[in-house]
Amino acid sequence: MTDYHSIGLTGRDRVNNAIGGGIPEGSVVLIEGVDGAGKSALSQRFSYGMATEGTYVTYISTELESWEFVQQMNSLSYDVVDLLLEEQLLFLHANVDTHDEGKKRQLLARFASAKTLWKADVVYVDTLSALLRNDPNYEAVIDDGDEDHVIQRLVSFLRHVTMQDKTVVLTVDPSSVGDDALRPLRNVADVYFEIETNTVGQEIRRKVLVRRFQNMKSPVDDSIGFSVQQGRGISIVSRTVA
């Protein structure tokens, strides 16, 4: 029988209900979208809600440092200070811009071997594409078209982790990595969300296209509209069944 990580905040928004009541334990979750689509905001909402429900969460950001993360979450009315102090939520900044040589640049290897971050029930990586682009092992094979080999090793590691009932949530910008890298990640994902955006006047309309959702707790719509607003966070604005 599959257990689930609730996204919580059921009295505040409809996010948990929109995704069927939670994310299955032991899943690889892929959230795909271009820069500015809302990948980080969605991940931040998921991670905050899970932590408030008692799930131990690690959140890795390639963009935000700790103070920026707290500030960003506060702007969305997700107060993470107590969760961080109580170690319910562990935040880590991944410095992908390091120019150091040697082991410090082996970003994927360091990610896989960092025991502390894997103590959590759910690990968020925002964004995986930034880790890939700045890892020398991946950089070295891009021109040769052998990205698939590097990604397959990552996929094998992810499957090993999920067999221990850990859940991994990855965000990816498809415009920054090749299809050869994305294909294995899409294939291994138990839950695959693709964020689509459209600009209408001054408004950015966002929707999650649910490409795959294995072992869902309750029915999930194939298209979930959402908005990101300061002071309110993520709000579900439309739900469309195909």
Side-chain angles (χ1 to χ4, degrees):
M1 182 176 178
T2 304
D3 290 323
Y4 298 83
H5 294 295
S6 171
I7 306 299
L9 305 186
T10 53
R12 171 173 165 176
D13 60 37
R14 294 188 292 143
V15 177
N16 191 60
N17 185 55
I19 64 162
I23 299 294
E25 288 186 5
S27 296
V28 174
V29 181
L30 181 66
I31 303 176
E32 185 177 317
V34 298
D35 185 43
K39 300 184 301 298
S40 294
L42 205 62
S43 298
Q44 288 157 8
R45 165 63 185 86
F46 284 11
S47 63
Y48 175 71
M50 284 184 179
T52 63
E53 290 291 304
T55 299
Y56 285 94
V57 174
T58 294
Y59 195 103
I60 303 166
S61 174
T62 60
E63 296 182 352
L64 303 177
E65 296 195 29
S66 57
W67 67 270
E68 293 174 309
F69 176 72
V70 172
Q71 190 175 67
Q72 165 69 8
M73 296 294 271
N74 185 61
S75 74
L76 298 173
S77 293
Y78 302 145
D79 186 359
V80 295
V81 173
D82 286 344
L83 294 172
L84 291 168
L85 292 175
E86 294 165 4
E87 300 183 350
Q88 190 72 44
L89 171 63
L90 171 65
F91 175 82
L92 299 171
H93 169 63
N95 181 16
V96 297
D97 295 323
T98 179
H99 297 292
D100 294 333
E101 298 297 330
K103 291 184 178 180
K104 285 191 174 182
R105 288 211 64 207
Q106 304 294 321
L107 299 174
L108 292 175
R110 290 173 63 195
F111 163 67
S113 63
K115 294 181 180 180
T116 299
L117 72 87
W118 294 109
K119 291 180 180 179
D121 303 310
V122 183
V123 176
Y124 287 78
V125 183
D126 183 30
T127 63
L128 177 65
S129 43
L131 288 182
L132 288 173
R133 290 197 317 270
N134 290 277
D135 189 291
N137 293 327
Y138 182 77
E139 291 176 329
V141 298
I142 290 177
D143 293 336
D144 298 330
D146 196 26
E147 300 102 311
D148 183 79
H149 179 67
V150 175
I151 297 298
Q152 286 296 347
R153 281 188 295 176
L154 174 62
V155 165
S156 296
F157 170 74
L158 293 173
R159 274 301 173 217
H160 172 73
V161 167
T162 56
M163 287 177 64
Q164 303 172 49
D165 292 329
K166 305 289 185 181
T167 298
V168 187
V169 182
L170 309 169
T171 70
V172 175
D173 181 349
S175 67
S176 64
V177 292
D179 284 340
D180 286 342
L182 285 173
R183 193 178 304 110
L185 292 173
R186 289 167 176 161
N187 290 340
V188 77
D190 303 286
V191 180
Y192 173 21
F193 295 146
E194 182 180 3
I195 302 177
E196 185 179 90
T197 62
N198 291 295
T199 303
V200 180
Q202 300 295 318
E203 180 185 4
I204 299 177
R205 296 182 180 177
R206 298 177 169 90
K207 63 181 177 182
V208 174
L209 303 178
V210 181
R211 301 301 192 188
R212 184 181 307 116
F213 203 127
Q214 296 180 359
N215 298 318
M216 62 181 67
K217 187 175 183 180
S218 60
V220 179
D221 296 337
D222 67 338
S223 179
I224 306 168
F226 72 98
S227 65
V228 183
Q229 300 177 0
Q230 284 200 351
R232 293 188 60 185
I234 297 288
S235 297
I236 301 300
V237 296
S238 65
R239 301 182 69 188
T240 305
V241 179

